[in-house]
Amino acid sequence: ADESSGYESESAGGERAAAAAPGGTRGRQRRARTAFTSEQVCRLEKTFQRQKYLGASERRKLAAALQLSEVQIKTWFQNRRMKLKRQM
């Protein structure tokens, strides 16, 4: 599957992995959960402390630096903002 489809992902080891959808009624697959390395999480957290939202060019640069997709960066920031909101 193509990376932008959202239904297949690379695991931390670089191999393709796909998980079955809950219920499995349509035969579609869900994106496998991304296992971020501690270095990736540290860099993401530092960036988040400076700015809660990233523009497209900033997201592209960070994704390239961390060897992640832009979608993974975008999703991580969305989830981190929700975590912050829950903590408040």
Side-chain angles (χ1 to χ4, degrees):
D2 122 318
E3 188 150 325
S4 64
S5 71
Y7 293 105
E8 195 170 294
S9 173
E10 284 192 30
S11 66
E15 59 210 35
R16 294 267 174 198
T25 55
R26 299 258 187 239
R28 295 184 68 152
Q29 297 173 335
R30 287 185 53 173
R31 179 182 289 271
R33 186 180 183 113
T34 302
F36 294 103
T37 66
S38 56
E39 292 84 12
Q40 288 170 330
V41 172
C42 184
R43 176 83 180 269
L44 288 163
E45 286 288 352
K46 283 182 183 178
T47 305
F48 184 79
Q49 293 305 317
R50 285 194 310 269
Q51 54 189 122
K52 305 298 185 247
Y53 293 86
L54 293 180
S57 63
E58 296 162 322
R59 187 170 55 240
R60 195 174 308 113
K61 289 176 188 173
L62 187 57
L66 297 178
Q67 297 179 337
L68 296 169
S69 72
E70 291 182 51
V71 173
Q72 289 171 314
I73 299 294
K74 181 178 178 179
T75 303
W76 188 92
F77 269 78
Q78 288 173 336
N79 290 338
R80 187 61 182 85
R81 286 191 299 268
M82 288 305 296
K83 179 179 177 180
L84 180 63
K85 185 176 176 181
R86 280 193 308 271
Q87 289 173 340
M88 293 181 143

